[in-house]
Amino acid sequence: MAGTGFDIAASNFTVPPASVARTDTVVSWNFAYVADTPDSPFTPSLVAQVSQCGFTPLFSKSYTLEFINATLWSWADGQPSQDYYRNCALMDLATGRWITENCANAYPPACADLTTAPFTWVVDPASARQYDTIESQGLCKAPLVFAIPRTAQEHASLLGAMRLAGVQRAWISYNRVSPVCWVKGWQRPCPYQFPKDLLFGRLLGANLKQGIFILLVSVVFLIYQARSQWKASRENRRRAEVRKKIKQMEYRSVRKVE
């Protein structure tokens, strides 16, 4: 294996800190990675371990979907479920992944210290409650907060805390509020969708503007068509009057000749 912590001096992977300007953007010793080598190729289990330790695996050759799946650490296979009676997320120790569950069931919450020790997790078996009561009852005591793993390292730390506490399943702060939107906490607004009233107002405003524009275009078109018809009618009347006068003149001329 090669990577951060393995080959700090390797020029093809890292850049010495002294040579990096403040304005530069480089892959350097600040980027935690592990790369495979011909003598030490990746395996799916090794890729999973590398990801859980907070490193990014760098593949030197193409790999199968099995290797790519090994980098995933959040939802279990087939999750999240489309069963909308299961709108809350659980960490499942058996699979090491997230699954959906009915929010009315009681499980202990996953509490994390995100201020001073981001990898400190506490899971108390005695605090098992329904999902919607976790924050209102303050089950996670300060500085702990009801949280969700944000990285593979935090994910692995939570699994370790669950093993230590003897807890098989624990709530994580993830709640489905619409068919396509999950949020932290309980029933909070989806950041990717407009509120219904605002969305309706914007749609109504857009439709009103479009309607006024179409109406103006229609009125202009009708005026143009009416003017064209009036013009054509007037010309037809003039032609008819001219033909009539010509006939009258011809009739008078013929009588005079006789």
Side-chain angles (χ1 to χ4, degrees), residues 150-187:
R150 299 168 297 180
T151 65
Q153 284 177 295
E154 292 185 10
H155 184 87
S157 297
L158 174 54
L159 288 174
M162 292 173 63
R163 293 189 188 97
L164 186 64
V167 173
Q168 294 300 310
R169 290 182 172 182
W171 289 126
I172 56 175
S173 183
Y174 217 30
N175 171 228
R176 176 163 46 196
V177 294
S178 79
V180 294
C181 187
W182 287 78
V183 298
K184 290 180 62 178
W186 171 249
Q187 294 296 305

PDB file of all heavy atoms in Angstrom, residues 150-187:
ATOM      1  N   ARG A 150     -21.322  11.692   9.663  1.00  0.00           N
ATOM      2  CA  ARG A 150     -21.086  12.474   8.447  1.00  0.00           C
ATOM      3  C   ARG A 150     -19.941  11.934   7.626  1.00  0.00           C
ATOM      4  O   ARG A 150     -19.778  12.308   6.465  1.00  0.00           O
ATOM      5  CB  ARG A 150     -20.818  13.931   8.829  1.00  0.00           C
ATOM      6  CG  ARG A 150     -21.960  14.616   9.567  1.00  0.00           C
ATOM      7  CD  ARG A 150     -21.540  15.929  10.162  1.00  0.00           C
ATOM      8  NE  ARG A 150     -20.494  15.734  11.175  1.00  0.00           N
ATOM      9  CZ  ARG A 150     -19.932  16.713  11.867  1.00  0.00           C
ATOM     10  NH1 ARG A 150     -20.314  17.968  11.654  1.00  0.00           N
ATOM     11  NH2 ARG A 150     -19.001  16.455  12.764  1.00  0.00           N
ATOM     12  N   THR A 151     -19.109  11.098   8.211  1.00  0.00           N
ATOM     13  CA  THR A 151     -17.970  10.514   7.511  1.00  0.00           C
ATOM     14  C   THR A 151     -17.882   9.040   7.865  1.00  0.00           C
ATOM     15  O   THR A 151     -18.521   8.563   8.816  1.00  0.00           O
ATOM     16  CB  THR A 151     -16.654  11.206   7.919  1.00  0.00           C
ATOM     17  OG1 THR A 151     -16.402  10.937   9.314  1.00  0.00           O
ATOM     18  CG2 THR A 151     -16.728  12.714   7.684  1.00  0.00           C
ATOM     19  N   ALA A 152     -17.043   8.325   7.115  1.00  0.00           N
ATOM     20  CA  ALA A 152     -16.849   6.898   7.401  1.00  0.00           C
ATOM     21  C   ALA A 152     -16.213   6.708   8.779  1.00  0.00           C
ATOM     22  O   ALA A 152     -16.505   5.725   9.476  1.00  0.00           O
ATOM     23  CB  ALA A 152     -15.967   6.281   6.326  1.00  0.00           C
ATOM     24  N   GLN A 153     -15.363   7.645   9.214  1.00  0.00           N
ATOM     25  CA  GLN A 153     -14.753   7.551  10.537  1.00  0.00           C
ATOM     26  C   GLN A 153     -15.791   7.678  11.648  1.00  0.00           C
ATOM     27  O   GLN A 153     -15.781   6.922  12.617  1.00  0.00           O
ATOM     28  CB  GLN A 153     -13.688   8.636  10.695  1.00  0.00           C
ATOM     29  CG  GLN A 153     -12.387   8.337   9.959  1.00  0.00           C
ATOM     30  CD  GLN A 153     -11.405   9.472  10.100  1.00  0.00           C
ATOM     31  OE1 GLN A 153     -11.646  10.564   9.621  1.00  0.00           O
ATOM     32  NE2 GLN A 153     -10.305   9.203  10.758  1.00  0.00           N
ATOM     33  N   GLU A 154     -16.675   8.661  11.503  1.00  0.00           N
ATOM     34  CA  GLU A 154     -17.734   8.832  12.500  1.00  0.00           C
ATOM     35  C   GLU A 154     -18.653   7.612  12.508  1.00  0.00           C
ATOM     36  O   GLU A 154     -19.130   7.185  13.565  1.00  0.00           O
ATOM     37  CB  GLU A 154     -18.530  10.098  12.214  1.00  0.00           C
ATOM     38  CG  GLU A 154     -17.747  11.374  12.431  1.00  0.00           C
ATOM     39  CD  GLU A 154     -18.588  12.622  12.261  1.00  0.00           C
ATOM     40  OE1 GLU A 154     -19.829  12.501  12.155  1.00  0.00           O
ATOM     41  OE2 GLU A 154     -18.007  13.703  12.238  1.00  0.00           O
ATOM     42  N   HIS A 155     -18.895   7.079  11.338  1.00  0.00           N
ATOM     43  CA  HIS A 155     -19.733   5.875  11.211  1.00  0.00           C
ATOM     44  C   HIS A 155     -19.109   4.717  11.986  1.00  0.00           C
ATOM     45  O   HIS A 155     -19.791   4.032  12.763  1.00  0.00           O
ATOM     46  CB  HIS A 155     -19.868   5.525   9.731  1.00  0.00           C
ATOM     47  CG  HIS A 155     -20.769   4.363   9.446  1.00  0.00           C
ATOM     48  ND1 HIS A 155     -22.117   4.495   9.267  1.00  0.00           N
ATOM     49  CD2 HIS A 155     -20.499   3.032   9.317  1.00  0.00           C
ATOM     50  CE1 HIS A 155     -22.657   3.310   9.020  1.00  0.00           C
ATOM     51  NE2 HIS A 155     -21.691   2.408   9.050  1.00  0.00           N
ATOM     52  N   ALA A 156     -17.796   4.487  11.790  1.00  0.00           N
ATOM     53  CA  ALA A 156     -17.104   3.407  12.484  1.00  0.00           C
ATOM     54  C   ALA A 156     -17.082   3.654  13.998  1.00  0.00           C
ATOM     55  O   ALA A 156     -17.214   2.714  14.787  1.00  0.00           O
ATOM     56  CB  ALA A 156     -15.686   3.273  11.946  1.00  0.00           C
ATOM     57  N   SER A 157     -16.946   4.933  14.395  1.00  0.00           N
ATOM     58  CA  SER A 157     -16.929   5.261  15.830  1.00  0.00           C
ATOM     59  C   SER A 157     -18.284   4.962  16.470  1.00  0.00           C
ATOM     60  O   SER A 157     -18.351   4.466  17.603  1.00  0.00           O
ATOM     61  CB  SER A 157     -16.568   6.727  16.019  1.00  0.00           C
ATOM     62  OG  SER A 157     -15.272   6.997  15.541  1.00  0.00           O
ATOM     63  N   LEU A 158     -19.376   5.265  15.763  1.00  0.00           N
ATOM     64  CA  LEU A 158     -20.702   4.969  16.285  1.00  0.00           C
ATOM     65  C   LEU A 158     -20.906   3.464  16.433  1.00  0.00           C
ATOM     66  O   LEU A 158     -21.453   2.992  17.439  1.00  0.00           O
ATOM     67  CB  LEU A 158     -21.777   5.571  15.379  1.00  0.00           C
ATOM     68  CG  LEU A 158     -23.236   5.229  15.726  1.00  0.00           C
ATOM     69  CD1 LEU A 158     -23.557   5.579  17.176  1.00  0.00           C
ATOM     70  CD2 LEU A 158     -24.193   5.929  14.775  1.00  0.00           C
ATOM     71  N   LEU A 159     -20.462   2.687  15.455  1.00  0.00           N
ATOM     72  CA  LEU A 159     -20.580   1.235  15.553  1.00  0.00           C
ATOM     73  C   LEU A 159     -19.815   0.725  16.772  1.00  0.00           C
ATOM     74  O   LEU A 159     -20.277  -0.176  17.492  1.00  0.00           O
ATOM     75  CB  LEU A 159     -20.059   0.569  14.276  1.00  0.00           C
ATOM     76  CG  LEU A 159     -20.928   0.721  13.020  1.00  0.00           C
ATOM     77  CD1 LEU A 159     -20.211   0.136  11.817  1.00  0.00           C
ATOM     78  CD2 LEU A 159     -22.276   0.052  13.200  1.00  0.00           C
ATOM     79  N   GLY A 160     -18.637   1.307  17.016  1.00  0.00           N
ATOM     80  CA  GLY A 160     -17.862   0.897  18.192  1.00  0.00           C
ATOM     81  C   GLY A 160     -18.583   1.221  19.483  1.00  0.00           C
ATOM     82  O   GLY A 160     -18.572   0.420  20.436  1.00  0.00           O
ATOM     83  N   ALA A 161     -19.244   2.392  19.548  1.00  0.00           N
ATOM     84  CA  ALA A 161     -19.991   2.770  20.745  1.00  0.00           C
ATOM     85  C   ALA A 161     -21.173   1.836  20.964  1.00  0.00           C
ATOM     86  O   ALA A 161     -21.512   1.499  22.109  1.00  0.00           O
ATOM     87  CB  ALA A 161     -20.471   4.207  20.619  1.00  0.00           C
ATOM     88  N   MET A 162     -21.826   1.400  19.885  1.00  0.00           N
ATOM     89  CA  MET A 162     -22.957   0.482  20.007  1.00  0.00           C
ATOM     90  C   MET A 162     -22.486  -0.881  20.494  1.00  0.00           C
ATOM     91  O   MET A 162     -23.155  -1.508  21.337  1.00  0.00           O
ATOM     92  CB  MET A 162     -23.680   0.356  18.659  1.00  0.00           C
ATOM     93  CG  MET A 162     -24.400   1.627  18.226  1.00  0.00           C
ATOM     94  SD  MET A 162     -25.089   1.535  16.541  1.00  0.00           S
ATOM     95  CE  MET A 162     -26.297   0.213  16.729  1.00  0.00           C
ATOM     96  N   ARG A 163     -21.354  -1.359  20.017  1.00  0.00           N
ATOM     97  CA  ARG A 163     -20.813  -2.635  20.508  1.00  0.00           C
ATOM     98  C   ARG A 163     -20.494  -2.545  21.992  1.00  0.00           C
ATOM     99  O   ARG A 163     -20.780  -3.468  22.765  1.00  0.00           O
ATOM    100  CB  ARG A 163     -19.562  -3.006  19.715  1.00  0.00           C
ATOM    101  CG  ARG A 163     -19.800  -3.336  18.250  1.00  0.00           C
ATOM    102  CD  ARG A 163     -18.552  -3.900  17.599  1.00  0.00           C
ATOM    103  NE  ARG A 163     -18.732  -4.037  16.155  1.00  0.00           N
ATOM    104  CZ  ARG A 163     -18.315  -3.133  15.277  1.00  0.00           C
ATOM    105  NH1 ARG A 163     -17.696  -2.030  15.700  1.00  0.00           N
ATOM    106  NH2 ARG A 163     -18.515  -3.316  13.991  1.00  0.00           N
ATOM    107  N   LEU A 164     -19.879  -1.436  22.384  1.00  0.00           N
ATOM    108  CA  LEU A 164     -19.498  -1.243  23.774  1.00  0.00           C
ATOM    109  C   LEU A 164     -20.727  -1.216  24.690  1.00  0.00           C
ATOM    110  O   LEU A 164     -20.693  -1.746  25.810  1.00  0.00           O
ATOM    111  CB  LEU A 164     -18.710   0.064  23.919  1.00  0.00           C
ATOM    112  CG  LEU A 164     -18.098   0.354  25.290  1.00  0.00           C
ATOM    113  CD1 LEU A 164     -17.048  -0.711  25.633  1.00  0.00           C
ATOM    114  CD2 LEU A 164     -17.449   1.730  25.311  1.00  0.00           C
ATOM    115  N   ALA A 165     -21.820  -0.613  24.196  1.00  0.00           N
ATOM    116  CA  ALA A 165     -23.044  -0.505  25.004  1.00  0.00           C
ATOM    117  C   ALA A 165     -23.942  -1.729  24.874  1.00  0.00           C
ATOM    118  O   ALA A 165     -24.947  -1.830  25.590  1.00  0.00           O
ATOM    119  CB  ALA A 165     -23.817   0.744  24.595  1.00  0.00           C
ATOM    120  N   GLY A 166     -23.618  -2.638  23.966  1.00  0.00           N
ATOM    121  CA  GLY A 166     -24.450  -3.812  23.758  1.00  0.00           C
ATOM    122  C   GLY A 166     -25.772  -3.488  23.100  1.00  0.00           C
ATOM    123  O   GLY A 166     -26.793  -4.141  23.365  1.00  0.00           O
ATOM    124  N   VAL A 167     -25.786  -2.476  22.228  1.00  0.00           N
ATOM    125  CA  VAL A 167     -27.000  -2.035  21.539  1.00  0.00           C
ATOM    126  C   VAL A 167     -26.958  -2.520  20.091  1.00  0.00           C
ATOM    127  O   VAL A 167     -25.973  -2.283  19.386  1.00  0.00           O
ATOM    128  CB  VAL A 167     -27.123  -0.497  21.577  1.00  0.00           C
ATOM    129  CG1 VAL A 167     -28.300  -0.038  20.714  1.00  0.00           C
ATOM    130  CG2 VAL A 167     -27.294  -0.010  23.008  1.00  0.00           C
ATOM    131  N   GLN A 168     -28.014  -3.193  19.663  1.00  0.00           N
ATOM    132  CA  GLN A 168     -28.060  -3.721  18.297  1.00  0.00           C
ATOM    133  C   GLN A 168     -28.546  -2.696  17.274  1.00  0.00           C
ATOM    134  O   GLN A 168     -28.096  -2.691  16.133  1.00  0.00           O
ATOM    135  CB  GLN A 168     -28.973  -4.955  18.242  1.00  0.00           C
ATOM    136  CG  GLN A 168     -28.439  -6.132  19.026  1.00  0.00           C
ATOM    137  CD  GLN A 168     -27.081  -6.592  18.523  1.00  0.00           C
ATOM    138  OE1 GLN A 168     -26.893  -6.801  17.324  1.00  0.00           O
ATOM    139  NE2 GLN A 168     -26.135  -6.740  19.435  1.00  0.00           N
ATOM    140  N   ARG A 169     -29.443  -1.794  17.709  1.00  0.00           N
ATOM    141  CA  ARG A 169     -29.985  -0.785  16.797  1.00  0.00           C
ATOM    142  C   ARG A 169     -30.150   0.533  17.546  1.00  0.00           C
ATOM    143  O   ARG A 169     -30.558   0.540  18.712  1.00  0.00           O
ATOM    144  CB  ARG A 169     -31.324  -1.208  16.199  1.00  0.00           C
ATOM    145  CG  ARG A 169     -31.211  -2.357  15.208  1.00  0.00           C
ATOM    146  CD  ARG A 169     -32.561  -2.704  14.605  1.00  0.00           C
ATOM    147  NE  ARG A 169     -32.435  -3.670  13.522  1.00  0.00           N
ATOM    148  CZ  ARG A 169     -33.445  -4.131  12.796  1.00  0.00           C
ATOM    149  NH1 ARG A 169     -34.680  -3.683  13.049  1.00  0.00           N
ATOM    150  NH2 ARG A 169     -33.242  -4.991  11.823  1.00  0.00           N
ATOM    151  N   ALA A 170     -29.846   1.634  16.858  1.00  0.00           N
ATOM    152  CA  ALA A 170     -29.967   2.960  17.480  1.00  0.00           C
ATOM    153  C   ALA A 170     -30.454   3.962  16.442  1.00  0.00           C
ATOM    154  O   ALA A 170     -30.072   3.900  15.265  1.00  0.00           O
ATOM    155  CB  ALA A 170     -28.618   3.418  18.049  1.00  0.00           C
ATOM    156  N   TRP A 171     -31.327   4.888  16.908  1.00  0.00           N
ATOM    157  CA  TRP A 171     -31.790   5.948  16.019  1.00  0.00           C
ATOM    158  C   TRP A 171     -30.623   6.858  15.635  1.00  0.00           C
ATOM    159  O   TRP A 171     -29.782   7.189  16.475  1.00  0.00           O
ATOM    160  CB  TRP A 171     -32.847   6.815  16.697  1.00  0.00           C
ATOM    161  CG  TRP A 171     -34.197   6.220  16.937  1.00  0.00           C
ATOM    162  CD1 TRP A 171     -34.859   6.146  18.135  1.00  0.00           C
ATOM    163  CD2 TRP A 171     -35.083   5.642  15.972  1.00  0.00           C
ATOM    164  NE1 TRP A 171     -36.089   5.559  17.979  1.00  0.00           N
ATOM    165  CE2 TRP A 171     -36.255   5.244  16.653  1.00  0.00           C
ATOM    166  CE3 TRP A 171     -34.992   5.418  14.606  1.00  0.00           C
ATOM    167  CZ2 TRP A 171     -37.326   4.634  16.013  1.00  0.00           C
ATOM    168  CZ3 TRP A 171     -36.068   4.807  13.961  1.00  0.00           C
ATOM    169  CH2 TRP A 171     -37.214   4.426  14.655  1.00  0.00           C
ATOM    170  N   ILE A 172     -30.576   7.263  14.381  1.00  0.00           N
ATOM    171  CA  ILE A 172     -29.687   8.342  13.958  1.00  0.00           C
ATOM    172  C   ILE A 172     -30.556   9.497  13.452  1.00  0.00           C
ATOM    173  O   ILE A 172     -31.702   9.284  13.057  1.00  0.00           O
ATOM    174  CB  ILE A 172     -28.693   7.889  12.863  1.00  0.00           C
ATOM    175  CG1 ILE A 172     -29.429   7.310  11.651  1.00  0.00           C
ATOM    176  CG2 ILE A 172     -27.702   6.885  13.408  1.00  0.00           C
ATOM    177  CD1 ILE A 172     -28.507   6.947  10.486  1.00  0.00           C
ATOM    178  N   SER A 173     -30.036  10.693  13.490  1.00  0.00           N
ATOM    179  CA  SER A 173     -30.839  11.889  13.205  1.00  0.00           C
ATOM    180  C   SER A 173     -31.069  12.049  11.703  1.00  0.00           C
ATOM    181  O   SER A 173     -30.424  12.858  11.031  1.00  0.00           O
ATOM    182  CB  SER A 173     -30.139  13.139  13.754  1.00  0.00           C
ATOM    183  OG  SER A 173     -30.931  14.286  13.548  1.00  0.00           O
ATOM    184  N   TYR A 174     -32.016  11.257  11.200  1.00  0.00           N
ATOM    185  CA  TYR A 174     -32.330  11.290   9.771  1.00  0.00           C
ATOM    186  C   TYR A 174     -33.790  10.891   9.596  1.00  0.00           C
ATOM    187  O   TYR A 174     -34.172   9.759   9.940  1.00  0.00           O
ATOM    188  CB  TYR A 174     -31.411  10.351   9.008  1.00  0.00           C
ATOM    189  CG  TYR A 174     -30.985  10.857   7.654  1.00  0.00           C
ATOM    190  CD1 TYR A 174     -30.857  12.217   7.383  1.00  0.00           C
ATOM    191  CD2 TYR A 174     -30.669   9.972   6.623  1.00  0.00           C
ATOM    192  CE1 TYR A 174     -30.444  12.674   6.150  1.00  0.00           C
ATOM    193  CE2 TYR A 174     -30.249  10.420   5.386  1.00  0.00           C
ATOM    194  CZ  TYR A 174     -30.138  11.777   5.155  1.00  0.00           C
ATOM    195  OH  TYR A 174     -29.724  12.232   3.914  1.00  0.00           O
ATOM    196  N   ASN A 175     -34.599  11.811   9.053  1.00  0.00           N
ATOM    197  CA  ASN A 175     -36.043  11.627   8.973  1.00  0.00           C
ATOM    198  C   ASN A 175     -36.546  11.985   7.583  1.00  0.00           C
ATOM    199  O   ASN A 175     -36.185  13.028   7.046  1.00  0.00           O
ATOM    200  CB  ASN A 175     -36.706  12.498  10.044  1.00  0.00           C
ATOM    201  CG  ASN A 175     -38.218  12.558   9.919  1.00  0.00           C
ATOM    202  OD1 ASN A 175     -38.801  13.629   9.956  1.00  0.00           O
ATOM    203  ND2 ASN A 175     -38.866  11.417   9.767  1.00  0.00           N
ATOM    204  N   ARG A 176     -37.380  11.117   7.010  1.00  0.00           N
ATOM    205  CA  ARG A 176     -37.940  11.371   5.683  1.00  0.00           C
ATOM    206  C   ARG A 176     -39.186  12.240   5.817  1.00  0.00           C
ATOM    207  O   ARG A 176     -40.145  11.870   6.478  1.00  0.00           O
ATOM    208  CB  ARG A 176     -38.279  10.057   4.980  1.00  0.00           C
ATOM    209  CG  ARG A 176     -38.948  10.243   3.631  1.00  0.00           C
ATOM    210  CD  ARG A 176     -38.910   8.983   2.776  1.00  0.00           C
ATOM    211  NE  ARG A 176     -39.288   7.792   3.506  1.00  0.00           N
ATOM    212  CZ  ARG A 176     -39.040   6.531   3.082  1.00  0.00           C
ATOM    213  NH1 ARG A 176     -38.397   6.349   1.951  1.00  0.00           N
ATOM    214  NH2 ARG A 176     -39.424   5.499   3.800  1.00  0.00           N
ATOM    215  N   VAL A 177     -39.161  13.409   5.162  1.00  0.00           N
ATOM    216  CA  VAL A 177     -40.297  14.337   5.227  1.00  0.00           C
ATOM    217  C   VAL A 177     -41.068  14.403   3.919  1.00  0.00           C
ATOM    218  O   VAL A 177     -42.120  15.036   3.850  1.00  0.00           O
ATOM    219  CB  VAL A 177     -39.831  15.750   5.635  1.00  0.00           C
ATOM    220  CG1 VAL A 177     -39.307  15.744   7.062  1.00  0.00           C
ATOM    221  CG2 VAL A 177     -38.771  16.285   4.674  1.00  0.00           C
ATOM    222  N   SER A 178     -40.552  13.790   2.870  1.00  0.00           N
ATOM    223  CA  SER A 178     -41.250  13.691   1.592  1.00  0.00           C
ATOM    224  C   SER A 178     -40.672  12.487   0.866  1.00  0.00           C
ATOM    225  O   SER A 178     -39.634  11.959   1.273  1.00  0.00           O
ATOM    226  CB  SER A 178     -41.080  14.967   0.758  1.00  0.00           C
ATOM    227  OG  SER A 178     -39.818  14.990   0.131  1.00  0.00           O
ATOM    228  N   PRO A 179     -41.307  12.028  -0.195  1.00  0.00           N
ATOM    229  CA  PRO A 179     -40.788  10.841  -0.891  1.00  0.00           C
ATOM    230  C   PRO A 179     -39.354  10.988  -1.378  1.00  0.00           C
ATOM    231  O   PRO A 179     -38.671   9.983  -1.584  1.00  0.00           O
ATOM    232  CB  PRO A 179     -41.763  10.670  -2.068  1.00  0.00           C
ATOM    233  CG  PRO A 179     -43.031  11.288  -1.595  1.00  0.00           C
ATOM    234  CD  PRO A 179     -42.617  12.453  -0.735  1.00  0.00           C
ATOM    235  N   VAL A 180     -38.877  12.216  -1.558  1.00  0.00           N
ATOM    236  CA  VAL A 180     -37.540  12.414  -2.118  1.00  0.00           C
ATOM    237  C   VAL A 180     -36.627  13.219  -1.203  1.00  0.00           C
ATOM    238  O   VAL A 180     -35.555  13.636  -1.628  1.00  0.00           O
ATOM    239  CB  VAL A 180     -37.626  13.116  -3.493  1.00  0.00           C
ATOM    240  CG1 VAL A 180     -38.312  12.231  -4.508  1.00  0.00           C
ATOM    241  CG2 VAL A 180     -38.346  14.460  -3.376  1.00  0.00           C
ATOM    242  N   CYS A 181     -37.013  13.430   0.050  1.00  0.00           N
ATOM    243  CA  CYS A 181     -36.211  14.311   0.901  1.00  0.00           C
ATOM    244  C   CYS A 181     -36.065  13.758   2.315  1.00  0.00           C
ATOM    245  O   CYS A 181     -37.061  13.467   2.981  1.00  0.00           O
ATOM    246  CB  CYS A 181     -36.828  15.711   0.946  1.00  0.00           C
ATOM    247  SG  CYS A 181     -35.805  16.921   1.809  1.00  0.00           S
ATOM    248  N   TRP A 182     -34.807  13.639   2.774  1.00  0.00           N
ATOM    249  CA  TRP A 182     -34.475  13.268   4.137  1.00  0.00           C
ATOM    250  C   TRP A 182     -33.804  14.461   4.808  1.00  0.00           C
ATOM    251  O   TRP A 182     -33.000  15.166   4.187  1.00  0.00           O
ATOM    252  CB  TRP A 182     -33.522  12.071   4.159  1.00  0.00           C
ATOM    253  CG  TRP A 182     -34.167  10.775   3.797  1.00  0.00           C
ATOM    254  CD1 TRP A 182     -34.480  10.331   2.535  1.00  0.00           C
ATOM    255  CD2 TRP A 182     -34.574   9.741   4.697  1.00  0.00           C
ATOM    256  NE1 TRP A 182     -35.062   9.086   2.589  1.00  0.00           N
ATOM    257  CE2 TRP A 182     -35.124   8.698   3.915  1.00  0.00           C
ATOM    258  CE3 TRP A 182     -34.516   9.590   6.074  1.00  0.00           C
ATOM    259  CZ2 TRP A 182     -35.616   7.533   4.471  1.00  0.00           C
ATOM    260  CZ3 TRP A 182     -35.004   8.421   6.647  1.00  0.00           C
ATOM    261  CH2 TRP A 182     -35.556   7.400   5.842  1.00  0.00           C
ATOM    262  N   VAL A 183     -34.118  14.693   6.083  1.00  0.00           N
ATOM    263  CA  VAL A 183     -33.556  15.826   6.816  1.00  0.00           C
ATOM    264  C   VAL A 183     -33.074  15.359   8.185  1.00  0.00           C
ATOM    265  O   VAL A 183     -33.494  14.323   8.698  1.00  0.00           O
ATOM    266  CB  VAL A 183     -34.600  16.957   7.005  1.00  0.00           C
ATOM    267  CG1 VAL A 183     -35.049  17.496   5.658  1.00  0.00           C
ATOM    268  CG2 VAL A 183     -35.789  16.475   7.830  1.00  0.00           C
ATOM    269  N   LYS A 184     -32.190  16.158   8.793  1.00  0.00           N
ATOM    270  CA  LYS A 184     -31.780  15.905  10.166  1.00  0.00           C
ATOM    271  C   LYS A 184     -32.900  16.338  11.105  1.00  0.00           C
ATOM    272  O   LYS A 184     -33.631  17.283  10.813  1.00  0.00           O
ATOM    273  CB  LYS A 184     -30.501  16.686  10.480  1.00  0.00           C
ATOM    274  CG  LYS A 184     -29.269  16.163   9.762  1.00  0.00           C
ATOM    275  CD  LYS A 184     -28.043  16.991  10.123  1.00  0.00           C
ATOM    276  CE  LYS A 184     -27.743  16.910  11.600  1.00  0.00           C
ATOM    277  NZ  LYS A 184     -26.526  17.654  11.974  1.00  0.00           N
ATOM    278  N   GLY A 185     -33.003  15.648  12.260  1.00  0.00           N
ATOM    279  CA  GLY A 185     -34.018  16.034  13.235  1.00  0.00           C
ATOM    280  C   GLY A 185     -35.367  15.410  12.929  1.00  0.00           C
ATOM    281  O   GLY A 185     -35.462  14.350  12.310  1.00  0.00           O
ATOM    282  N   TRP A 186     -36.415  16.116  13.359  1.00  0.00           N
ATOM    283  CA  TRP A 186     -37.778  15.591  13.218  1.00  0.00           C
ATOM    284  C   TRP A 186     -38.662  16.585  12.475  1.00  0.00           C
ATOM    285  O   TRP A 186     -38.850  17.707  12.930  1.00  0.00           O
ATOM    286  CB  TRP A 186     -38.367  15.291  14.596  1.00  0.00           C
ATOM    287  CG  TRP A 186     -39.829  14.950  14.584  1.00  0.00           C
ATOM    288  CD1 TRP A 186     -40.840  15.713  15.087  1.00  0.00           C
ATOM    289  CD2 TRP A 186     -40.450  13.784  14.036  1.00  0.00           C
ATOM    290  NE1 TRP A 186     -42.053  15.092  14.890  1.00  0.00           N
ATOM    291  CE2 TRP A 186     -41.846  13.899  14.242  1.00  0.00           C
ATOM    292  CE3 TRP A 186     -39.968  12.652  13.379  1.00  0.00           C
ATOM    293  CZ2 TRP A 186     -42.751  12.933  13.839  1.00  0.00           C
ATOM    294  CZ3 TRP A 186     -40.872  11.687  12.969  1.00  0.00           C
ATOM    295  CH2 TRP A 186     -42.237  11.827  13.195  1.00  0.00           C
ATOM    296  N   GLN A 187     -39.177  16.183  11.311  1.00  0.00           N
ATOM    297  CA  GLN A 187     -40.154  16.951  10.546  1.00  0.00           C
ATOM    298  C   GLN A 187     -39.699  18.395  10.288  1.00  0.00           C
ATOM    299  O   GLN A 187     -40.478  19.343  10.425  1.00  0.00           O
ATOM    300  CB  GLN A 187     -41.508  16.948  11.267  1.00  0.00           C
ATOM    301  CG  GLN A 187     -42.166  15.585  11.332  1.00  0.00           C
ATOM    302  CD  GLN A 187     -42.539  15.037   9.966  1.00  0.00           C
ATOM    303  OE1 GLN A 187     -43.247  15.680   9.206  1.00  0.00           O
ATOM    304  NE2 GLN A 187     -42.059  13.844   9.639  1.00  0.00           N
TER     305      GLN A 187
END
